[in-house]
Amino acid sequence: MIKQSTSLYNEDLAPIPQNKRTWGTFNYAALWISMSLCIPTYMLASSLIEGGMNWWESILTIFIGNTVVLIPMILNGHAGAKYGIPFPVFARASFGTKGANIPAVLRAIVACGWFGIQTWIGGFALYQMFRLWIPALETLPQIFPDSFQLQTGPAIMFFLFWLLNMFVVYLGVESIKKLLLFKAFFLPAAALALLFWAINAGHGLGPILGQPSKLAGNNFWHYFFPALTGMVGYWATLSLNIPDFTRYAKSQRSQVVGQLIGLPPSMTLFSFIGVVVTSATFIIYGKTIWDPVALAGKFDSKILVSFAMIAVALSTLATNIAANIVSPANDFSNLSPSKINFRTGGYITGIIGIFICPWKLIADTNGYIFTWLIAYSSLLGPIGGIMIADYYFIRKQQLTVSEMYEPKGQYSFTNGFNKFAIIALLFGILPNVPGFLLQVKLVSSETFPAWILQLYNYAWFVGFFVSGIIYLFLMRNYKVVDLVNKELINNVAIN
């Protein structure tokens, strides 16, 4: 029996009973199709073209990356589907009842970064529209230091769009439902319209897909592996908190097959549009334009640009609140439920999203892939390695659900923290630190041996396997307490 009076329990964290698990295969496929259709996915593909790959190299890299990340996605999703528990509760099994806040907060910070990026995209879309009607917006005096790399006009629109996001947080998530419905119809239509425009303006698919690769030999491989790590890192957050969704699954098959047919195909298809359009821009304008908002700003018609930019802003607002506010707001709230409610958690997310300076992260492909995607994958890869090692090798997929809500139960370890998980996490992050410091230019290439710096190119993989293996070694003498309540399992868990 789960005690509902403990500090570890509330209705949002409670396990979903079997009779309330209604998500089938179609639901999970639809979920991934919806989440894949967004501006950052388009930019993911177009950044590879900008980096020098040709069309099929870009598509293949994205497909491989999403197939790789699908593995931990399905493995971590198993616990959610079997026991009906969300990610923060699942993390208690390996990190401890209090230690689970560590992976939750790390995931929340990454979501804050994505919030900032999406807010910048929405704000820049508004800027592209208003500068056509108010030309003075382009020539406003510079008020930020050069180190900020931030022009006044875009900064104003970014801040206004940020305020709009915060107003929606104030109103509550329910206010975003109609915008999500709008996004579901608009983005696919807009993407197809952009594709047809590119094919027409680029004189057919032949010249577009005929663009050669700018990478050859060792140069290709030096770019491919960090790019692949970036593709894996793109969904590294969801590979951890996927139990938040699979807890509603009718069966294991529903979540496995749904994700299998929903994630790699939809990401690859939408990325193909980004690849074609970006390749076409080189033919049309003589240079690759990887940002679709910047591209749309080049169209001649004020009405067309205004319509497109308003639509981008609205769909980005919907995606931002649903994908990048709800999760971190709840994570921050979980730190201190009595002091931080959802609204306050949302404000915290918004403030951190500004301090991350998202305009720098997506100013070029180097920042987007090598600084942002790879950097945060070095934090989340180790967490995934620890959770999977614990669930499959230490606990053999057996959890005592009632104990996960007990402050002094078997998952409290020492004062709520599993020191072995924390040690393994640090060891998984450490090898990638030198490469990250070089990437952000805090050290020179002579500071560390070259082979250590190169580990950063494989950040997610290095962290995943190093932390997983070290965790298994440290936990080799740990005795799993067999307190599984058979009646609870029959009522709550499915196989």
Side-chain angles (χ1 to χ4, degrees), residues 60 181 218 325 354 411 422:
L60 185 61
L181 184 63
N218 289 334
I325 281 287
I354 293 178
Y411 302 113
I422 297 173

Side-chain angles (χ1 to χ4, degrees), residues 250-319:
K250 294 179 181 178
S251 66
Q252 290 291 352
R253 185 181 183 278
S254 296
Q255 66 101 358
V256 171
V257 177
Q259 294 196 79
L260 186 64
I261 64 177
L263 176 56
S266 59
M267 281 293 293
T268 304
L269 179 61
F270 192 58
S271 296
F272 177 74
I273 297 175
V275 165
V276 169
V277 176
T278 305
S279 298
T281 60
F282 184 80
I283 297 174
I284 300 166
Y285 300 107
K287 63 177 182 178
T288 53
I289 303 175
W290 74 295
D291 184 345
V293 176
L295 173 60
K298 286 185 168 293
F299 295 158
D300 296 328
S301 170
K302 287 185 179 181
I303 301 298
L304 177 62
V305 172
S306 298
F307 173 78
M309 295 302 98
I310 291 174
V312 167
L314 289 176
S315 61
T316 300
L317 176 65
T319 301

Side-chain angles (χ1 to χ4, degrees), residues 7-332:
S7 59
L8 299 173
Y9 179 93
N10 64 33
E11 291 184 2
D12 295 324
L13 298 177
I16 303 296
Q18 181 62 55
N19 61 359
K20 292 186 178 180
R21 300 184 203 177
T22 58
W23 285 38
T25 301
F26 173 79
N27 297 103
Y28 288 103
L31 173 72
W32 279 115
I33 292 171
S34 174
M35 288 197 293
S36 297
L37 289 174
C38 61
I39 301 297
T41 297
Y42 174 104
M43 296 172 73
L44 194 71
S46 56
S47 66
L48 298 182
I49 295 293
E50 170 73 8
M53 286 185 169
N54 63 24
W55 76 272
W56 67 263
E57 290 169 344
S58 303
I59 294 299
L60 185 61
T61 303
I62 291 169
F63 179 77
I64 294 174
N66 280 276
T67 302
V68 169
V69 80
L70 185 66
I71 298 172
M73 199 88 69
I74 290 174
L75 291 177
N76 275 327
H78 185 279
K82 183 174 183 178
Y83 297 101
I85 54 176
F87 163 71
V89 175
F90 180 36
R92 293 172 186 174
S94 50
F95 283 86
T97 50
K98 293 181 179 178
N101 282 320
I102 296 174
V105 168
L106 287 177
R107 183 196 64 168
I109 291 174
V110 172
C112 291
W114 276 119
F115 169 82
I117 288 174
Q118 292 271 27
T119 303
W120 174 257
I121 290 172
F124 194 69
L126 294 179
Y127 169 75
Q128 293 284 43
M129 178 186 72
F130 279 108
R131 73 182 179 85
L132 295 177
W133 301 96
I134 311 174
L137 200 60
E138 292 186 84
T139 57
L140 290 174
Q142 189 70 15
I143 61 175
F144 297 98
D146 291 340
S147 60
F148 274 54
Q149 301 174 21
L150 186 60
Q151 294 179 328
T152 304
I156 292 173
M157 292 298 104
F158 168 66
F159 183 65
L160 290 176
F161 191 67
W162 181 88
L163 286 176
L164 179 60
N165 279 264
M166 293 299 97
F167 181 64
V168 174
V169 170
Y170 173 79
L171 294 177
V173 183
E174 291 297 316
S175 61
I176 209 71
K177 279 186 176 180
K178 291 182 180 179
L179 286 178
L180 282 171
L181 184 63
F182 167 80
K183 172 205 168 183
F185 287 98
F186 167 75
L187 265 184
L192 289 174
L194 201 56
L195 176 64
F196 289 131
W197 168 83
I199 293 173
N200 181 61
H203 309 295
L205 274 176
I208 294 173
L209 300 184
Q211 295 292 307
S213 174
K214 300 174 185 175
L215 305 171
N218 289 334
N219 288 334
F220 173 80
W221 296 112
H222 286 159
Y223 187 81
F224 170 77
F225 285 111
L228 179 64
T229 303
M231 300 309 106
V232 174
Y234 187 73
W235 289 121
T237 307
L238 264 294
S239 73
L240 296 183
N241 73 292
I242 192 64
D244 291 341
F245 298 98
T246 59
R247 62 196 297 222
Y248 300 101
K250 294 179 181 178
S251 66
Q252 290 291 352
R253 185 181 183 278
S254 296
Q255 66 101 358
V256 171
V257 177
Q259 294 196 79
L260 186 64
I261 64 177
L263 176 56
S266 59
M267 281 293 293
T268 304
L269 179 61
F270 192 58
S271 296
F272 177 74
I273 297 175
V275 165
V276 169
V277 176
T278 305
S279 298
T281 60
F282 184 80
I283 297 174
I284 300 166
Y285 300 107
K287 63 177 182 178
T288 53
I289 303 175
W290 74 295
D291 184 345
V293 176
L295 173 60
K298 286 185 168 293
F299 295 158
D300 296 328
S301 170
K302 287 185 179 181
I303 301 298
L304 177 62
V305 172
S306 298
F307 173 78
M309 295 302 98
I310 291 174
V312 167
L314 289 176
S315 61
T316 300
L317 176 65
T319 301
N320 217 14
I321 300 299
N324 302 319
I325 281 287
V326 174
S327 175
N330 287 331
D331 288 333
F332 290 129

Side-chain angles (χ1 to χ4, degrees), residues 364-433:
D364 55 44
T365 58
N366 186 62
Y368 186 48
I369 294 179
F370 294 90
T371 302
W372 172 238
L373 293 177
I374 296 181
Y376 80 66
S377 77
S378 68
L379 298 176
L380 304 187
I383 296 172
I386 291 168
M387 293 176 65
I388 289 173
D390 180 82
Y391 183 64
Y392 287 92
F393 296 99
I394 301 297
R395 306 191 186 278
K396 312 295 184 185
Q397 305 174 36
Q398 295 300 317
L399 300 174
T400 310
V401 177
S402 59
E403 288 280 298
M404 306 187 91
Y405 299 87
E406 286 283 354
K408 298 186 182 299
Q410 63 168 304
Y411 302 113
S412 63
F413 295 96
T414 305
N415 297 321
F417 295 89
N418 181 4
K419 62 181 180 181
F420 293 142
I422 297 173
I423 292 171
L425 176 63
L426 293 175
F427 270 99
I429 295 173
L430 192 60
N432 295 311
V433 172

